[in-house]
Amino acid sequence: MTTLEGVNVLITGGAGYIGSHVSRLLIESGHSVVSVDDFSTGLAERIGSESYELKLENPDAESKLASILNEHGIDTVIHFAARKQVGESVEKPELYYKSNIGGLLNLLSAMKTAGVKKMVFSSSAAVYGMPSVEQVDEQSPTNPINPYGQTKLIGEWMIDNAKTWGLSAISLRYFNVAGTGWSDLADKQALNLIPIAISKISHGEPVDVFGDDYQTEDGSCIRDYIHVMDLAKAHIDAISHLKNPGNEVFNVGTGEGSSVFEVLAELKKVSGIDFEMNIDSRRAGDPPKLVASASKIQDSFGWKSEFGLAEIVATAWESRES
Ligand SMILES: NC(=O)c1ccc[n+]([C@@H]2O[C@H](COP(=O)([O-])OP(=O)(O)OC[C@H]3O[C@@H](n4cnc5c(N)ncnc54)[C@H](O)[C@@H]3O)[C@@H](O)[C@H]2O)c1
């Protein structure tokens, strides 16, 4: 991890799973953090800094954010706050545009007013849609196939356009974030494979596998799982590389793919429970394989993931709710 001179950071979405990990890592490294969150999916007990309850898309949010930025002498913003459920975004696209785009617009306007010119943005592998290559790199075409992914790509564009007033930004395109760094900050929403499976096992229910007939080695979908602590460290590195106006994008993944069956086999090993699997049909919009090329971030920051699937599954299991 790069050594970073003291920074004053505003974290949006500091009560969330990833925001709270990054927040704690920054605080433990001696930096100052202030959080804003509307607690729509976040948990107040995760916040370890001064915080404000604020819905970013509200009409008064821009002026409130500008005051917070000024009052705390903020020099850098890390923007996590967003709605992130693909299915919900298809059902309620207007909610996603209002929240993810409207919220970002207010944030950027407040930053411009307050003269805050450094930003790290939580983007997503969802910007790539259904890639046909073995590994996606940052030059791969962006073609999001749902409103959630679209809001992330539009967000990257909005941030890039802010170079006209001097904004220097990095958008990190996260792949499948999982695992736990501190057990009190665990991912409590059962929305992704590992937390869903843990929740099912805890209730003695079978774990669903959506499709076992993909053109992959074992027939199930392959994803790139990245430990939340590796991801958190990438944010610290990103801040120290914010220099020139513009928005630079980086994949954050391990470069290794794991299939659904491999993840579940690891979970059986860690839990000691031989749970049942329920093979269901494919879900619409699931690419067979989504794996990052992680060379750019490694070459630019010297960042490399430390943890693999075993640590990801073990830390997620150990921090499960009893
Ligand atoms: N978890 C993943 O695998 C993953 C992958 C790619 C990208 N991301 C992105 O990373 C970011 C953080 O994700 P997470 O997994 O920690 O989710 P999370 O739901 O745990 O955290 C989001 C936080 O933002 C807050 N929030 C949401 N909308 C808000 C709004 N309009 N105003 C103020 N606060 C708001 C929520 O209350 C919550 O505390 C999101 O932008 C998400 O799209 C996550």
Side-chain angles (χ1 to χ4, degrees):
M1 194 165 71
T2 322
T3 314
L4 180 67
E5 293 292 312
V7 282
N8 281 341
V9 184
L10 174 74
I11 291 196
T12 72
Y17 163 54
I18 304 171
S20 62
H21 275 87
V22 173
S23 189
R24 189 169 296 175
L25 185 62
L26 280 165
I27 292 166
E28 290 199 350
S29 312
H31 305 289
S32 294
V33 172
V34 177
S35 298
V36 294
D37 204 294
D38 68 355
F39 302 105
S40 50
T41 57
L43 304 169
E45 58 268 27
R46 285 204 189 111
I47 296 220
S49 67
E50 190 168 345
S51 70
Y52 297 84
E53 185 168 351
L54 189 62
K55 197 173 254 319
L56 294 183
E57 65 271 33
N58 279 358
D60 61 350
E62 182 185 332
S63 60
K64 284 188 175 161
L65 283 164
S67 306
I68 294 167
L69 293 170
N70 281 324
E71 194 182 316
H72 293 275
I74 299 295
D75 47 61
T76 308
V77 171
I78 313 183
H79 181 45
F80 296 99
R83 307 192 76 95
K84 62 163 189 178
Q85 293 186 51
V86 168
E88 184 186 55
S89 82
V90 174
E91 281 160 30
K92 302 177 190 168
E94 66 290 343
L95 180 67
Y96 275 68
Y97 289 121
K98 219 180 255 178
S99 186
N100 296 3
I101 303 295
L104 175 57
L105 189 58
N106 281 336
L107 179 63
L108 286 171
S109 304
M111 290 172 69
K112 184 179 177 186
T113 304
V116 177
K117 294 188 174 161
K118 290 183 176 183
M119 181 180 212
V120 178
F121 174 56
S122 298
S123 189
S124 167
V127 300
Y128 295 114
M130 303 271 274
S132 51
V133 290
E134 282 294 298
Q135 284 190 327
V136 279
D137 65 23
E138 293 79 354
Q139 302 302 314
S140 299
T142 47
N143 187 18
I145 55 162
N146 50 61
Y148 167 70
Q150 290 167 0
T151 64
K152 291 296 176 185
L153 187 58
I154 296 167
E156 290 184 6
W157 294 340
M158 289 164 69
I159 290 167
D160 184 51
N161 286 322
K163 59 180 171 283
T164 50
W165 52 266
L167 183 70
S168 168
I170 286 177
S171 292
L172 298 176
R173 293 177 174 168
Y174 312 162
F175 280 64
N176 288 59
V177 190
T180 310
W182 291 276
S183 52
D184 56 320
L185 306 182
D187 189 3
K188 301 257 167 60
Q189 298 180 80
L191 298 174
N192 302 319
L193 175 63
I194 296 172
I196 290 174
I198 290 176
S199 163
K200 293 274 186 183
I201 300 164
S202 308
H203 291 95
E205 294 169 12
V207 177
D208 294 325
V209 175
F210 296 101
D212 66 348
D213 55 353
Y214 285 96
Q215 294 287 310
T216 58
E217 220 158 275
D218 65 17
S220 66
C221 283
I222 295 178
R223 295 288 178 271
D224 187 336
Y225 293 89
I226 171 87
H227 194 290
V228 69
M229 285 309 291
D230 280 330
L231 178 68
K233 289 175 194 158
H235 288 76
I236 310 266
D237 290 339
I239 296 174
S240 54
H241 283 81
L242 289 168
K243 286 185 185 79
N244 303 320
N247 177 42
E248 201 171 354
V249 298
F250 292 91
N251 286 343
V252 195
T254 61
E256 301 284 329
S258 304
S259 74
V260 172
F261 287 128
E262 284 170 338
V263 171
L264 297 182
E266 192 60 43
L267 200 44
K268 284 189 179 187
K269 199 161 93 185
V270 163
S271 66
I273 302 171
D274 188 19
F275 54 84
E276 279 183 35
M277 291 183 273
N278 171 38
I279 311 298
D280 211 334
S281 48
R282 296 179 181 195
R283 288 183 304 195
D286 256 350
K289 186 168 183 180
L290 190 55
V291 177
S293 158
S295 320
K296 184 180 176 193
I297 189 165
Q298 190 173 341
D299 296 346
S300 306
F301 299 174
W303 175 94
K304 200 175 179 322
S305 57
E306 266 179 59
F307 303 113
L309 188 63
E311 289 96 347
I312 290 173
V313 172
T315 55
W317 176 255
E318 282 153 18
S319 61
R320 74 195 181 283
E321 280 183 302
S322 49

